[in-house]
Amino acid sequence: MRKKKWKDKDKAEFLKRLGTLLAQGYPLAEGIELLTVYKPQHVKDALRSIVLKLRSGTTLHQALEAEKFPQDVLLYLYFAEQNGDTSTGLVESGELFSKRVDMIKKITGLLRYPVILLWVVSMLTLVMVNYLFPHFQNIFSVMAMEPPLITKLFLSFIDFVPFIFWGGSAFVTLFLCYYFFIFRKYSPHEKVRILQKIPGVSTFTESLITYYFSSQLSSLLKGGISILHALSIFEGQNYIRFFKDEAKSVKEQLQEGYSLDGVIAQRSYYQADMSLIIKQGQSRGRLASELRHYSDMLFSSIEENVKKTVMTIQPICFLLIGSVVLLMFLSILLPIFGLINTMG
């Protein structure tokens, strides 16, 4: 059993390199074997396991599923294999995976410093409350003086912190109980409807659903198959159940005589302009390319919005932590100056 983990960054690079080798004419198993050169032992073991599965008749996306590749990447590869364009699917899924890894790394980096600062401030506050402020209170009590207003405010804030902590802990506990015992039992569409009711999350959810549906549908239609056949392929995958159920529902409505743009327009979890893109693409006979351009723009928009959100959160965290630090030091310095003036 392999102890070391195959890193996500290396998995993404593997997909891109394998796709390039397939485009150059290498057979799938030979391409994977070629990529084992200069790899760490745990990665070599993983790649050899994939090759063995492929030679026993397992499909590529199923072999990669055993190596814990993300569900959306496996879905991408499933569609690429169905479309007969595995090399392009590998490269595109690898690029998508790589962008997500880079995005998570940037988000982690941006949030690391506020978390470290929060920990340092918490330790300083703990020391001050337990050791420094009791001495101040004794001194002011002996000298029959009132501590400065800002010191009183800080002490009141400290007294209120346990309520914030326990209130936050109770909220997190209730949220986890709701998620594990109630939310997870809902159907995918019910989960999406709940997410749509949360401000901020609703827009991101709709953009993500629209992106995945439009990008994968465009890749299938690019191969020349019909919309109904493409939806049947959607329905046949088992990686993301929402799209499985969605494809079945949309296909049933199309078979009843409804148009694709009309069906999409009735569904609230897609971006409003998607139905217009579909209508224009069908009228021009370029539905696959129109959806591809549309999904590329959606991905860029999602990426930009995530960056903006993180870049907004970081200065807010710094501002809050800075305000606490300023209040903390003023609550120390002002009593000291007051005592110095009294003794002078």
Side-chain angles (χ1 to χ4, degrees), residues 243-301:
F243 290 119
K244 183 182 182 73
D245 296 344
E246 181 68 3
K248 180 180 179 181
S249 176
V250 171
K251 189 174 73 170
E252 287 174 353
Q253 287 190 274
L254 292 181
Q255 289 171 336
E256 291 174 2
Y258 294 95
S259 63
L260 180 60
D261 60 287
V263 172
I264 296 299
Q266 295 172 358
R267 296 167 186 263
S268 63
Y269 30 80
Y270 292 110
Q271 292 281 338
D273 52 358
M274 184 178 175
S275 60
L276 179 61
I277 295 295
I278 291 174
K279 187 175 183 178
Q280 290 177 345
Q282 287 183 313
S283 64
R284 297 170 183 171
R286 297 184 304 185
L287 181 57
S289 59
E290 295 273 355
L291 285 174
R292 168 57 64 181
H293 293 316
Y294 178 62
S295 64
D296 289 342
M297 288 189 293
L298 270 176
F299 184 82
S300 298
S301 176

Side-chain angles (χ1 to χ4, degrees), residues 205-220:
T205 302
E206 291 165 12
S207 298
L208 207 58
I209 289 173
T210 306
Y211 164 73
Y212 274 112
F213 189 78
S214 59
S215 64
Q216 301 305 336
L217 184 60
S218 68
S219 66
L220 291 171

Side-chain angles (χ1 to χ4, degrees), residues 108-133:
T108 304
L110 287 170
L111 296 180
R112 182 184 297 123
Y113 297 110
V115 170
I116 293 173
L117 280 175
L118 183 61
W119 182 82
V120 172
V121 170
S122 300
M123 293 300 102
L124 286 173
T125 303
L126 190 63
V127 171
M128 290 171 59
V129 170
N130 289 325
Y131 299 100
L132 187 59
F133 282 113

Side-chain angles (χ1 to χ4, degrees), residues 27-305:
L28 187 56
E30 289 182 17
I32 296 174
E33 288 175 340
L34 185 61
L35 292 175
T36 60
V37 180
Y38 302 121
K39 296 293 183 184
Q41 189 59 47
H42 65 283
V43 177
K44 286 184 178 180
D45 292 341
L47 294 176
R48 285 167 184 161
S49 175
I50 291 171
V51 171
L52 288 174
K53 288 184 175 69
L54 291 174
R55 286 177 173 164
S56 67
T58 305
T59 59
L60 178 60
H61 66 273
Q62 290 172 332
L64 295 180
E65 184 178 7
E67 300 302 328
K68 309 299 181 185
F69 276 71
Q71 295 292 299
D72 57 332
V73 171
L74 296 173
L75 178 62
Y76 210 109
L77 291 176
Y78 166 80
F79 287 134
E81 289 178 282
Q82 293 293 320
N83 196 32
D85 195 4
T86 305
S87 60
T88 302
L90 280 164
V91 173
E92 291 180 351
S93 63
E95 289 175 349
L96 179 67
F97 195 4
S98 182
K99 285 181 180 179
R100 185 170 63 193
V101 170
D102 291 340
M103 179 64 66
I104 292 173
K105 185 177 179 181
K106 288 177 183 177
I107 292 172
T108 304
L110 287 170
L111 296 180
R112 182 184 297 123
Y113 297 110
V115 170
I116 293 173
L117 280 175
L118 183 61
W119 182 82
V120 172
V121 170
S122 300
M123 293 300 102
L124 286 173
T125 303
L126 190 63
V127 171
M128 290 171 59
V129 170
N130 289 325
Y131 299 100
L132 187 59
F133 282 113
H135 291 297
F136 277 151
Q137 289 175 323
N138 290 334
I139 293 171
F140 280 108
S141 177
V142 170
M143 299 181 69
M145 293 175 57
E146 283 288 323
L149 177 62
I150 196 165
T151 305
K152 290 182 178 180
L153 289 174
F154 185 72
L155 290 172
S156 299
F157 170 73
I158 294 301
D159 290 337
F160 192 64
V161 166
F163 295 100
I164 298 175
F165 173 78
W166 290 113
S169 299
F171 174 78
V172 171
T173 302
L174 289 172
F175 174 80
L176 291 175
C177 290
Y178 171 75
Y179 175 78
F180 285 106
F181 297 109
I182 299 176
F183 185 78
R184 290 180 66 180
K185 295 180 180 179
Y186 289 146
S187 69
H189 281 71
E190 288 174 328
K191 292 176 182 177
V192 169
R193 291 188 190 99
I194 292 172
L195 292 175
Q196 284 183 288
K197 296 177 182 178
I198 304 174
V201 177
S202 60
T203 303
F204 179 76
T205 302
E206 291 165 12
S207 298
L208 207 58
I209 289 173
T210 306
Y211 164 73
Y212 274 112
F213 189 78
S214 59
S215 64
Q216 301 305 336
L217 184 60
S218 68
S219 66
L220 291 171
L221 296 177
K222 184 176 66 175
I225 65 176
S226 67
I227 293 175
L228 284 174
H229 187 189
L231 291 172
S232 296
I233 294 174
F234 256 103
E235 190 180 353
Q237 58 85 24
N238 294 307
Y239 293 114
I240 301 180
R241 191 184 152 195
F242 175 85
F243 290 119
K244 183 182 182 73
D245 296 344
E246 181 68 3
K248 180 180 179 181
S249 176
V250 171
K251 189 174 73 170
E252 287 174 353
Q253 287 190 274
L254 292 181
Q255 289 171 336
E256 291 174 2
Y258 294 95
S259 63
L260 180 60
D261 60 287
V263 172
I264 296 299
Q266 295 172 358
R267 296 167 186 263
S268 63
Y269 30 80
Y270 292 110
Q271 292 281 338
D273 52 358
M274 184 178 175
S275 60
L276 179 61
I277 295 295
I278 291 174
K279 187 175 183 178
Q280 290 177 345
Q282 287 183 313
S283 64
R284 297 170 183 171
R286 297 184 304 185
L287 181 57
S289 59
E290 295 273 355
L291 285 174
R292 168 57 64 181
H293 293 316
Y294 178 62
S295 64
D296 289 342
M297 288 189 293
L298 270 176
F299 184 82
S300 298
S301 176
I302 292 169
E303 193 175 26
E304 188 63 29
N305 287 335

